[in-house]
Amino acid sequence: MEGVVLLHEVVHELKVQKKDGLLLEIDFEKTYDTFKCPFLYQMLQAKGFRDVWCDWVMELVRGDKVVDKVNAQSGPYFPTFKGVRQGYPLSPLLCNIIVDGLAILVKRAHDHGLIFGMVPHLVNDGLVILQYAHDSIFLLEDDLAKAR
């Protein structure tokens, strides 16, 4: 709820100050299913996990086999090479680590002056992104060229 309250405060502040801004929400609908294993490995390493732990996680992710079932007939099992199964205990954590990659890129763009956040007088350097699970909301200064 903290993110929702913060978003409400930002919108309210823009309204009171009569300022424009750009709000963009992105819902990564199939985060669990579509990420690529090398990216997960890279993110785990960037977070400081040792190679042996990263290898264990990759064994869990890559070691899956699935089967298609059509009209009550099961086909042959085949290995998966991307995504994690929903319901696995590690899946929410791995999903958050993957989505955090976007936040890191946005922070770098902000730090290099490529984008500017909203309400810098309320939040140090302005608020640029809010994330919850696989939803991301960008809060950018009213500059369409920089937003692109």
Side-chain angles (χ1 to χ4, degrees):
M1 288 301 294
E2 187 177 301
V4 173
V5 171
L6 189 54
L7 180 61
H8 180 270
E9 289 298 318
V10 168
V11 171
H12 176 73
E13 184 68 18
L14 290 175
K15 213 173 188 183
V16 168
Q17 298 285 331
K18 296 184 179 171
K19 291 188 176 184
D20 292 329
L22 180 84
L23 294 173
L24 173 67
E25 186 210 1
I26 298 177
D27 179 7
F28 298 102
E29 195 171 302
K30 299 191 181 253
T31 308
Y32 285 95
D33 304 326
T34 57
F35 75 86
K36 296 195 174 13
C37 290
F39 181 71
L40 173 60
Y41 197 91
Q42 183 181 5
M43 286 301 298
L44 289 169
Q45 286 181 318
K47 294 288 183 187
F49 291 101
R50 293 182 178 204
D51 287 342
V52 68
W53 202 90
C54 296
D55 291 339
W56 290 336
V57 170
M58 290 294 98
E59 282 297 315
L60 289 172
V61 173
R62 290 185 185 138
D64 264 350
K65 291 186 179 179
V66 294
V67 65
D68 285 330
K69 195 173 198 178
V70 179
N71 296 331
Q73 295 289 336
S74 295
Y77 281 86
F78 57 93
T80 59
F81 296 102
K82 62 181 182 176
V84 294
R85 289 182 160 236
Q86 292 186 32
Y88 278 8
L90 279 179
S91 293
L93 174 65
L94 297 178
C95 185
N96 285 343
I97 288 172
I98 290 164
V99 173
D100 193 44
L102 175 63
I104 291 168
L105 292 174
V106 170
K107 183 177 177 350
R108 284 184 189 161
H110 182 257
D111 290 347
H112 286 89
L114 300 173
I115 57 175
F116 298 98
M118 290 187 187
V119 295
H121 59 287
L122 296 178
V123 179
N124 270 353
D125 296 329
L127 185 61
V128 180
I129 189 169
L130 290 173
Q131 289 184 298
Y132 180 76
H134 50 76
D135 292 325
S136 296
I137 300 174
F138 296 91
L139 304 108
L140 303 174
E141 180 182 75
D142 187 26
D143 185 340
L144 195 54
K146 287 188 178 184
R148 284 189 180 131

